[in-house]
């Protein structure tokens, strides 16, 4: 593939747009309402605005753009309007520069392959910078390395950023993306403005968030989160790129500066490192704003569930660590004919108790950035129906008939079709040099509006009412299929003590059991102890109708290493039981760890009950739980230390005495 060392500013396609932009010369003065020209003068050179008009940006945004254009020195500026025309232009350029390849089998679908060194979120280089360390992370004990976030002081952070951003966009175009997390104009939404030198990031942000002129209008003179992103490869290049994918993994940093309402990301173009609305704004900065303003930003899917027999409908949220099947659950095709699931969101929930004390949730995103491997017509037919148009695939394998392939699609590939692996092996087979056809963290980035079971209220500005909160993880042993907390405080403790096998979404080794409280371990914006106190505080307002809290585990294995529960569409049976518990139906029985379904209370119709060992699936073996309790003691002690709320420690002690038979 020929290397193209060009930036979009060289594209003649822009000529047309130039005619539409104000090109008279003059020095823009950010203090005046409108700049006299669309050319930004910086010392010794000028930066042309080749798309859009600086003059239409609110003063504060213009100032932000000008300041960072002076710092990063792009050749040109493109102010995103979010139009179809703009998207066509970007896709043309990305295709021309061999960053995206059209997938002819589908409608408007694209394939990107990254530098193999830029394939996942990099948690160890993701920082929150505040004056006080303890505002961000608890002090650890016994010299333990903090697992609940990375802190850096503002002076060191400034130095780190100064080593990277000056001149970093030379030769490139700086895109200005005004974006809304949440429906444009909803009182629960937040606005960000991302500056980036990656057209791939713009094309992806356009799917994952709402971008463009409508956001600028909604913003007016209001606050916004300042987001600066660079791939870290100014032109001319000094190194050879892999797959034409600009990135600088050695200099990578993802920095959050909550005291300035700013996010700065350098060196990666992929996923949560680069699409700054997602993990950076919607979770890390979002959780800080939620703490300040009395709401919750959580790593949770949101789904609607309807029993068509009783005509009852409820909404639930569920938190699972990355790549544990949130997207599959959010789009579940239930195996019980009277259960209907609708999808509101698959990754993030912003939740707030309303004036009547009802918890309400919005999905701040506009698309799904789902893990591709494992997704198939068998596991998630609704996702498969969502992704066949207007989708950007990254690091999946391609097929000789212009389609895509990943692990899990073996039964869906037409006879005679060849597979080209994500690393470029042209005739890939399971015995090939490349172990997997697709990277384990390969993704589809697809518009939510294409999901066939999207909930009618998914964009409702006030959010959907939430009646159950579900936690879960990959637990091969000891943890029952489902259990309910005894009360809110116990539920918060269950969230705090979550553990799960690591996955490929970040740099950790898969299969290692990691503590992942609330599935938020990589995404806490502030001290986890404070976060727990924030959750506990909602019980102090007597008006709040606290949802019931549950824990599920679809991943328990038997002695032969086989999954004991069929999972996927059959998980609706567990959700139906949760619905009954919301109404306080007498279908639960106590165990030391929580309340599990009474025998016979889960609808197992249609399943081969001889195959199912429900007794073991619901069991809570004491030896397992004693070890679990010890691990939680160690974790709370070393990682949360003095910041652990005393009521959470009491919950752990109560669990211990229930498990060891000491009462409580
Ligand atoms: C994601 C993640 O990309 O959790 O959603 O890693
Ligand atoms: Mn996620």
């Amino acid at each position: 593939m020929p290397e193209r060392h060009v930036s979009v500013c060289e594209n003649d396609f822009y000529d047309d747009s130039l005619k539409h932009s104000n090109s008279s010369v003059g020095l823009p003065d950010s203090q005046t309402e409108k700049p006299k020209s669309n050319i930004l003068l910086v010392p010794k050179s000028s930066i042309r605005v080749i798309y859009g008009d600086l003059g239409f940006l609110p003063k504060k945004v213009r100032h932000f753009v000008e300041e960072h254009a002076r710092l990063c020195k792009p050749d040109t500026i493109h102010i995103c309007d979010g139009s179809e025309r703009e998207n066509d232009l970007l896709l043309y350029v990305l295709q021309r520069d061999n960053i995206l390849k059209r997938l002819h089998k589908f409608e408007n679908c694209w394939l990107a392959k990254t530098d193999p060194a830029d394939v996942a979120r990099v948690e160890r280089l993701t920082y929150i910078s505040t004056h006080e360390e303890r505002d961000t992370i608890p002090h650890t004990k016994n010299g333990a390395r903090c697992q609940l976030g990375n802190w850096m002081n503002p002076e060191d952070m400034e130095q780190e950023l100064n080593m990277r951003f000056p001149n970093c966009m030379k030769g490139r175009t700086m895109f200005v993306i005004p974006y809304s997390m949440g429906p444009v104009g909803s009182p629960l939404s937040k606005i960000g403005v991302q500056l980036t030198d990656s057209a791939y990031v713009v094309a992806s942000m356009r799917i994952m968030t709402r971008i463009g002129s409508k956001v600028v209008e909604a913003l007016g003179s209001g606050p916004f989160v300042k987001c600066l992103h660079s791939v870290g490869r100014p032109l001319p290049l000094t190194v050879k790129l892999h797959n034409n994918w600009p990135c600088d993994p050695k200099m990578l940093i993802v920095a959050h500066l909550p005291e300035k309402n700013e996010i700065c990301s350098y060196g990666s173009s992929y996923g949560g490192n680069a699409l700054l609305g997602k993990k950076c704004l919607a979770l890390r900065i979002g959780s800080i704003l939620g703490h300040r303003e009395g709401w919750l930003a959580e790593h949770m899917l949101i789904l609607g569930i309807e029993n068509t027999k009783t005509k009852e409908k409820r909404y639930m949220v569920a938190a699972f660590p990355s790549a544990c099947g949130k997207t599959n659950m959010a789009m579940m095709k239930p195996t019980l004919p009277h259960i209907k699931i609708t999808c509101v969101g698959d990754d993030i929930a912003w939740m707030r108790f309303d004036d009547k004390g009802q918890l309400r949730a919005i999905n701040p995103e506009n698309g799904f950035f789902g893990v591709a491997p494992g997704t198939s017509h068998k596991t998630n037919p609704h996702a498969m129906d969502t992704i066949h148009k207007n989708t950007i695939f990254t690091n999946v394998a391609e097929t000789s008939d212009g389609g895509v392939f990943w692990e899990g699609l073996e039964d869906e590939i037409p006879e005679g079709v060849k597979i080209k692996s994500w690393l470029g092996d042209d005739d890939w087979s399971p015995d090939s040099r490349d172990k997997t056809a697709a990277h384990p963290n390969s993704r589809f980035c697809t518009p939510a509006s294409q999901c066939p079971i999207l909930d009618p209220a998914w964009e409702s500005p006030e959010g959907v009412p939430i009646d159950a909160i579900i936690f879960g993880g990959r637990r091969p042993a000891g943890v029952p299929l489902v259990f309910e907390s005894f009360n809110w405080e116990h539920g918060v403790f269950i969230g705090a003590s979550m553990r799960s096998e690591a996955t490929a979404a970040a740099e950790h080794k898969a299969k290692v059991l990691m503590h992942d409280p609330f599935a938020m371990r990589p995404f806490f914006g502030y001290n986890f102890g404070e976060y727990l106190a924030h959750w506990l505080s909602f019980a102090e307002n007597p008006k709040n109708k606290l949802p019931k809290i549950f824990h599920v585990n679809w991943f328990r294995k038997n002695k032969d290493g086989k999954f004991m529960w069929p999972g996927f569409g059959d998980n609706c049976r567990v959700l139906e039981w949760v619905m009954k518990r919301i109404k306080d139906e007498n279908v639960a029985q106590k165990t030391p760890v929580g309340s599990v379904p009474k025998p016979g209370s889960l609808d197992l119709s249609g399943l081969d009950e001889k195959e199912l060992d429900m007794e073991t699936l619901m069991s809570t073996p004491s030896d397992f739980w004693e070890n679990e309790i010890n691990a939680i003691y160690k974790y709370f002690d070393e990682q949360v230390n003095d910041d652990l709320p005393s009521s959470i420690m009491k919950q752990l002690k109560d669990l211990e005495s229930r498990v060891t038979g000491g009462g409580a």
Side-chain angles (χ1 to χ4, degrees):
M1 206 178 267
E3 286 272 328
R4 293 292 309 259
H5 300 163
V6 290
S7 72
V8 293
C9 62
E10 290 170 73
N11 182 9
D12 0 311
F13 226 76
Y14 269 89
D15 286 356
D16 209 31
S17 3
L18 279 173
K19 287 187 204 129
H20 298 285
S21 65
N22 175 359
S23 55
S24 62
V25 185
L27 179 65
D29 171 2
S30 59
Q31 298 316 307
T32 62
E33 222 5 87
K34 248 182 160 242
K36 293 190 204 77
S37 105
N38 225 6
I39 295 184
L40 181 66
L41 293 185
V42 296
K44 298 208 191 83
S45 66
S46 63
I47 303 173
R48 272 189 317 160
V49 177
I50 53 164
Y51 191 99
D53 195 328
L54 272 177
F56 291 133
L57 295 178
K59 203 157 84 178
K60 278 192 277 185
V61 178
R62 205 168 75 222
H63 183 75
F64 171 57
V65 174
E66 288 170 355
E67 189 185 332
H68 290 86
R70 286 190 191 101
L71 177 75
C72 304
K73 299 220 175 54
D75 273 15
T76 51
I77 296 178
H78 172 133
I79 300 163
C80 298
D81 60 13
S83 66
E84 285 301 326
R85 172 175 164 265
E86 173 181 76
N87 194 43
D88 290 346
L89 178 63
L90 294 173
L91 291 172
Y92 170 87
V93 169
L94 283 162
Q95 200 179 4
R96 185 202 62 190
D97 292 353
N98 286 319
I99 293 171
L100 286 189
K101 177 174 176 184
R102 189 185 274 279
L103 291 162
H104 289 284
K105 191 165 174 181
F106 311 122
E107 187 188 327
N108 191 31
C109 284
W110 305 87
L111 173 63
K113 290 188 184 167
T114 70
D115 182 322
D118 189 22
V119 290
R121 289 184 288 99
V122 183
E123 291 176 2
R124 67 178 195 288
L125 298 173
T126 298
Y127 293 93
I128 315 270
S129 177
T130 48
H131 279 92
E132 293 298 325
E133 179 177 18
R134 200 139 168 217
D135 285 346
T136 297
I137 49 172
H139 288 165
T140 59
K141 217 162 141 181
N142 305 338
R145 186 179 180 280
C146 180
Q147 297 170 16
L148 291 158
N150 302 311
W151 172 81
M152 195 184 286
N153 74 50
E155 292 74 37
D156 290 349
M157 181 55 78
E158 200 177 320
Q159 263 191 25
E160 292 294 333
L161 300 179
N162 282 340
M163 271 163 58
R164 291 167 172 82
F165 284 98
N167 302 325
C168 67
M169 296 187 186
K170 270 199 163 215
R172 296 190 181 274
T173 292
M174 181 169 91
F175 297 91
V176 180
I177 319 173
Y179 68 95
S180 175
M181 297 312 290
V184 178
S186 157
L188 302 185
S189 299
K190 299 282 176 198
I191 288 178
V193 177
Q194 178 163 347
L195 311 180
T196 177
D197 51 6
S198 162
Y200 165 89
V201 165
V202 182
S204 308
M205 284 289 283
R206 183 177 182 276
I207 296 172
M208 293 307 298
T209 74
R210 288 107 174 149
I211 74 164
S213 313
K214 55 185 189 283
V215 179
V216 173
E217 255 168 58
L219 174 62
S221 56
F224 63 96
V225 180
K226 297 173 178 170
C227 307
L228 175 63
H229 168 250
S230 174
V231 297
R233 286 288 172 211
L235 300 174
L237 291 171
T238 52
V239 293
K240 191 170 164 353
L241 300 184
H242 293 272
N243 292 333
N244 300 305
W245 184 265
C247 61
D248 186 358
K250 290 211 178 82
M251 292 297 280
L252 192 148
I253 194 164
V254 182
H256 304 72
L257 293 74
E259 289 156 1
K260 294 179 165 175
N261 221 12
E262 253 178 62
I263 301 162
C264 301
S265 163
Y266 186 94
S268 165
S269 304
Y270 194 46
N273 296 331
L275 313 181
L276 301 186
K278 194 174 181 60
K279 304 300 182 183
C280 298
L281 193 158
L283 287 178
R284 299 193 192 93
I285 296 290
S287 64
I288 296 170
L289 297 176
H291 185 215
R292 221 181 269 158
E293 298 167 4
W295 53 278
L296 293 162
E298 299 299 331
H299 192 204
M300 291 177 173
L301 66 87
I302 312 168
L303 60 75
I305 175 165
E306 192 181 339
N307 182 327
T308 55
K309 271 199 235 155
T310 61
K311 302 271 177 290
E312 192 191 344
K313 179 160 183 185
R314 302 284 184 171
Y315 289 93
M316 305 173 178
V317 289
F320 297 86
S322 306
C324 276
K326 279 212 301 298
T327 306
N328 290 346
M329 182 168 161
M331 296 184 195
M332 188 195 301
K333 184 165 183 187
T335 51
L336 290 176
H338 60 282
I339 297 292
K340 193 174 152 201
I341 301 283
T342 48
C343 174
V344 178
D346 78 329
D347 196 42
I348 300 175
W350 282 358
M351 299 190 287
R352 193 187 281 266
F353 285 92
D354 69 13
D355 309 340
K356 299 197 181 74
Q358 172 66 54
L359 186 63
R360 294 194 163 269
I362 64 163
N363 168 13
E365 301 192 278
N366 195 37
F368 307 115
F369 187 65
V371 176
T375 309
S376 69
H377 278 98
K378 214 159 95 204
T379 61
N380 192 343
H382 294 134
M384 295 303 286
D385 292 344
T386 306
I387 61 182
H388 284 175
K389 54 182 189 203
N390 308 317
T391 299
I392 300 176
F393 296 90
T394 305
N395 288 342
V396 302
E398 56 185 304
T399 54
S400 52
D401 62 347
V404 287
F405 177 82
W406 50 73
E407 280 57 35
L409 288 182
E410 292 78 2
D411 297 340
E412 300 186 19
I413 193 104
E415 192 93 11
V417 162
K418 281 197 192 164
I419 295 167
K420 181 170 176 179
S421 77
W422 79 284
L423 286 170
D425 184 347
D426 259 324
D427 192 6
W428 182 90
S429 77
D431 315 317
S432 296
R433 147 185 78 84
D434 302 343
K435 281 201 219 51
T436 56
H439 185 275
N441 191 37
S442 55
R443 301 278 181 146
F444 51 78
C445 178
T446 194
S449 60
Q450 293 178 187
C451 175
I453 58 154
L454 199 60
D455 191 89
W458 89 282
E459 282 189 295
S460 107
E462 71 278 12
V464 295
I466 299 300
D467 289 318
I469 297 173
I470 300 172
F471 296 119
R474 275 177 197 268
R475 299 305 307 263
V479 178
L481 176 65
V482 56
F483 61 95
E484 180 187 333
S485 68
F486 299 128
N487 52 47
W488 181 257
E489 196 176 281
H490 180 224
V492 175
F493 163 75
I494 290 171
S497 42
M498 274 168 68
R499 299 169 82 195
S500 187
E501 280 181 349
T503 65
E507 71 270 36
H508 309 289
K509 288 222 164 28
K511 302 274 183 246
V512 178
L513 202 58
M514 292 173 79
H515 288 269
D516 195 346
F518 290 76
M520 281 286 282
R521 181 192 46 75
F523 310 123
F524 290 117
Y526 64 101
N527 186 313
F528 171 54
E530 287 287 319
Y531 169 96
L532 288 173
H534 184 47
W535 265 79
L536 292 168
S537 73
F538 292 106
E540 284 159 20
N541 184 345
K543 224 165 64 182
N544 287 346
K545 296 180 208 132
L546 300 169
K548 285 187 191 289
I549 298 180
F550 300 82
H551 187 284
V552 298
N553 175 26
W554 318 134
F555 301 95
R556 196 160 179 174
K557 289 182 175 168
N558 64 15
K559 284 197 284 313
D560 305 326
K562 294 229 169 69
F563 288 117
M564 299 179 72
W565 175 248
F568 304 109
D570 285 313
N571 294 338
C572 76
R573 300 166 193 273
V574 172
L575 300 189
E576 189 196 32
W577 181 83
V578 168
M579 262 179 119
K580 291 184 188 158
R581 288 302 303 144
I582 293 171
K583 292 187 296 175
D584 277 326
E585 281 185 33
N586 184 12
V587 289
Q589 66 185 22
K590 284 195 174 167
T591 77
V593 306
S595 299
V596 300
K598 280 188 176 167
S601 67
L602 268 191
D603 185 343
L604 301 177
S605 54
L607 290 178
D608 183 353
E609 292 199 42
K610 278 194 274 32
E611 286 285 300
L612 282 174
D613 179 358
M614 292 309 288
E615 206 181 311
T616 311
L617 202 48
M618 296 301 180
S619 66
T620 56
S622 326
D623 50 348
F624 170 88
W625 278 94
E626 277 167 33
N627 284 335
E628 185 74 3
I629 287 163
N630 287 339
I632 301 169
Y633 266 121
K634 183 166 184 301
Y635 181 72
F636 282 173
D637 187 40
E638 284 187 1
Q639 290 292 325
V640 204
N641 199 0
D642 295 339
D643 290 319
L644 189 79
S646 54
S647 54
I648 297 296
M649 182 50 89
K650 177 166 182 317
Q651 284 293 335
L652 177 57
K653 291 194 168 137
D654 289 352
L655 172 66
E656 183 177 30
S657 55
R658 289 193 302 265
V659 167
T660 56

